[in-house]
């Protein structure tokens, strides 16, 4: 996952280059089986940090990641020649590096996708620091995942997808988080309805093992608007 800081007066240029160039590059890569997906999201609300956008690429494993990085380059040149506005690729190449302020390699121990036909327009990233990241993800999978599946089945939540991940690089405590969960929603209203509503049955759930896995609580919870993505079949979805 790449973190971007884009000046306010250049957001249109940045989004256009991602949509018109990078998305098509990643679409070709997905159709070739090199990646499992790609996406670009914009931070919602006031920016308390320099990060205003993120992009991500999903790989099957570390070997797939290495193979993809060695092969994706050819699609950038191919796609540049196919653009209706070739200047976009030049701008993208020139500006992309200046916008990058960091990146994170994440390992998802679990990801429950939204039901077929549901479009996840907003994602909430819940970031935390854990002394034992593996235990954090284990407790989330053992306790929260089955409970969330029941909520989905009974239609007792506006949340439509969920995932839990460990940050494997960079390591250490510099960035104040090394684990995360990701909540997916169809609308911003659904997020606030979820926040302001009681969760049916949660009082019967023993959340202590989860709480103990990150005793300081969430470091930050960020809402992202998913602007564009590419699925595993190479389809571009806005």
């Amino acid at each position: 996952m790449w973190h971007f800081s884009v000046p306010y007066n250049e957001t249109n240029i940045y989004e256009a280059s991602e949509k018109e160039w990078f998305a098509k590059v990643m679409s070709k890569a997905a159709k070739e089986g090199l990646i499992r997906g790609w996406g670009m999201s914009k931070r919602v609300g006031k920016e308390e940090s320099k990060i205003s956008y993120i992009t991500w690429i999903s790989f099957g494993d570390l070997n797939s990641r290495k193979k993809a990085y060695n092969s994706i380059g050819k699609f950038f040149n191919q796609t540049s020649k196919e653009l209706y506005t070739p200047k976009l690729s030049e701008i993208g190449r020139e500006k992309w590096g200046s916008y990058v302020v960091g990146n994170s390699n994440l390992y998802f121990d679990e990801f429950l996708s939204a039901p077929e036909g549901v479009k996840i327009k907003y994602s909430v990233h819940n970031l935390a620091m854990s002394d034992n990241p593996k235990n954090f993800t284990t407790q989330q999978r053992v306790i929260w995942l089955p409970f969330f599946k029941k909520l989905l089945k009974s239609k007792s939540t506006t949340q439509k997808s969920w995932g839990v991940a460990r940050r494997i690089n960079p390591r250490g405590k510099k960035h104040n988080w090394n684990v995360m969960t990701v909540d997916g929603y169809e609308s911003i209203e659904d997020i606030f309805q979820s926040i302001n509503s009681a969760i049916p049955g949660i009082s019967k759930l023993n959340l202590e093992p989860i709480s103990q896995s990150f005793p300081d609580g969430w470091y930050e919870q960020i809402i992202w608007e998913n602007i564009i993505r590419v699925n595993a079949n190479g389809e571009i979805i806005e």
Side-chain angles (χ1 to χ4, degrees):
M1 182 170 66
W2 285 266
H3 314 284
F4 298 89
S5 176
V6 181
Y8 179 77
N9 61 347
E10 296 183 18
T11 56
N12 288 340
I13 294 174
Y14 169 74
E15 289 190 20
S17 64
E18 292 282 9
K19 289 179 179 179
E20 300 299 326
W21 186 36
F22 276 87
K24 292 175 181 177
V25 169
M26 297 305 165
S27 174
K28 292 179 184 291
K31 289 176 180 178
E32 290 288 322
L34 294 173
I35 65 172
R36 291 187 175 182
W38 170 90
M40 184 264 282
S41 303
K42 181 180 181 179
R43 188 177 184 128
V44 174
K46 182 181 178 181
E47 298 170 22
E48 295 181 358
S49 70
K50 294 181 179 179
I51 301 172
S52 50
Y53 291 88
I54 55 172
T55 64
W56 54 266
I57 303 177
S58 175
F59 304 100
D61 51 41
L62 291 177
N63 289 331
S64 299
R65 179 175 179 268
K66 183 177 180 180
K67 180 181 178 182
Y69 278 152
N70 289 335
S71 305
I72 286 179
K74 63 183 179 182
F75 297 127
F76 281 96
N77 292 328
Q78 288 178 11
T79 307
S80 295
K81 298 174 183 178
E82 300 168 0
L83 294 176
Y84 290 112
T85 51
K87 189 72 175 176
L88 270 179
S89 64
E90 296 178 25
I91 295 173
R93 289 182 190 274
E94 176 186 348
K95 292 285 189 177
W96 194 87
S98 67
Y99 295 151
V100 176
V101 293
N103 67 81
S104 303
N105 294 330
L106 303 172
Y107 179 84
F108 274 85
D109 289 274
E110 190 75 48
F111 194 89
L112 182 64
S113 298
E116 187 175 351
V118 172
K119 182 179 179 181
I120 299 299
K121 184 61 178 175
Y122 293 89
S123 298
V124 180
H125 289 192
N126 307 295
L127 312 179
M129 179 64 72
S130 175
D131 290 334
N132 188 337
K134 180 60 177 175
N135 179 55
F136 173 88
T137 59
T138 297
Q139 299 305 329
Q140 291 281 343
R141 294 171 69 189
V142 170
I143 299 173
W144 188 257
L145 179 59
F147 179 70
F148 177 63
K149 286 181 176 179
K150 290 180 181 178
L151 292 177
L152 278 180
K153 187 176 181 179
S154 62
K155 297 183 180 180
S156 300
T157 178
T158 56
Q159 185 180 334
K160 302 301 182 184
S161 66
W162 177 86
V164 60
R166 289 173 277 161
R167 182 175 184 162
I168 58 177
N169 188 54
R171 300 172 68 85
K173 298 185 178 181
K174 175 183 177 181
H175 299 283
N176 298 308
W177 67 275
N178 59 4
V179 293
M180 69 184 295
T181 61
V182 180
D183 307 330
Y185 298 87
E186 292 181 281
S187 69
I188 197 77
E189 290 79 13
D190 285 345
I191 295 176
F192 292 111
Q193 182 177 336
S194 179
I195 293 172
N196 296 318
S197 301
I199 302 176
I202 196 168
S203 61
K204 299 178 182 179
L205 206 61
N206 179 17
L207 296 174
E208 188 64 22
I210 290 181
S211 300
Q212 290 178 351
S213 70
F214 68 121
D216 293 331
W218 299 119
Y219 161 67
E220 190 172 22
Q221 294 175 282
I222 307 169
I223 301 174
W224 298 97
E225 179 183 2
N226 301 318
I227 305 297
I228 189 168
R229 71 181 181 91
V230 171
N231 67 17
N233 298 319
E235 298 173 306
I236 298 175
I237 303 168
E238 293 191 53

